[in-house]
Amino acid sequence: ADSVSLWVRPEPFDFGICQIPPPSKINTGNLHRLAAYAKSKGTQGWPNMSYRLWSHCACTKLHMTEDQARSYFESFRLVWNEHSTSEALQWADAYSRCKTDTDRDQLVQQQVVPIPQFLLFLHIQLSMKISLKSKLMTGDQWQLVTHAQDRRSASSKKHSSEQAHMEYISIHLLELVQLLVEPDSYSSASAAVADQTISVNAISALEYLLACELCSGSRRNLRPLREVALLQSELPHSGYSKITRTFSIVKLVAWIRSHLTENPYGVSATITNRHKVATSFPLHTDGRRRGRMVSNMAISPNKYFDFNLLYYNCIQHILQGFHLLQLQACCICTHQEIERDEE
């Protein structure tokens, strides 16, 4: 029988978390109110919310500044993969051609975001608040963190961040799934969580945060979460009802938790499994540690390299022939350091 594996997608956390403390008004209750308000505005707010409506809600209800509201909106669109890369580049080109702030504002006003995924995005911004609490240090302590220490702990930091993302999703999974309940049927005063359900379309929104894989023997295939949850073999566990065509929230959350695991294609797993890359050129380092490269390209459909302690001139050789490459844990050095090393 096929086995199911679920893991937290790294992109929403690595690239979608705004590096500013989230407003205190961002909480589960207010996010439900935001969804209800958006749906009351008809096509302007549901199922896609316009920037104009988001800006109004963010500034008047969540007490954000206009700059914060735009930052959240654009950060989500960067990670949200509904549109193709070419469409994103076309929009960026149109934005760069705007001559005045008025032209740019008018272009931004035309953009929309899907409410279900956007609510999940807003919720995980709270992980930034937790991160700030756990990493608080004084000015003197900050200066003691040297570049060498940063490089030595790069892989361990990445591992801890992946664990933190998985822990956040696991702890808040019920809240996240409840955000996908239709505003018309959700009641914050209701104590009967066991009676709450979400639609099949809502399951697709969870794919913003969760990746899914089916394993059959040695074959491993990525599949949409919605498709796997509707498999005949998974229906008794995922909580789907053929009568109402909805998922029971309690059963769905239990099913997700039972299959949630570490990202098998993540940086930590790749380093642990020692998927190193052989090169035909020397790997220049800082003289204390030998440079290395690891890659999951042999096993993963989402290709990336992880560069550790490599200088820019080495990376130039590696990038030849690649159209798109995700870089993790890169060592940054100046041109003077490169010249000095080459001497």
Side-chain angles (χ1 to χ4, degrees), residues 32-56:
H32 282 294
R33 296 184 186 95
L34 174 63
Y37 182 78
K39 190 159 190 178
S40 70
K41 295 301 179 180
T43 56
Q44 185 183 3
W46 195 271
N48 296 317
M49 177 189 285
S50 67
Y51 177 77
R52 185 185 301 276
L53 182 60
W54 159 245
S55 178
H56 169 73

Side-chain angles (χ1 to χ4, degrees), residues 156-167:
S156 62
K157 283 182 179 179
K158 186 60 185 177
H159 178 73
S160 63
S161 67
E162 290 178 350
Q163 290 290 336
H165 301 162
M166 181 175 171
E167 182 179 356

Side-chain angles (χ1 to χ4, degrees), residues 14-15 158 267 303-307 312 315 318-319 324-330:
D14 288 345
F15 310 119
K158 186 60 185 177
V267 175
K303 314 299 185 184
Y304 70 78
F305 275 111
D306 177 86
F307 299 96
Y312 179 72
I315 296 177
I318 302 164
L319 293 182
L324 181 62
L325 207 62
Q326 180 177 333
L327 306 182
Q328 298 276 6
C330 297

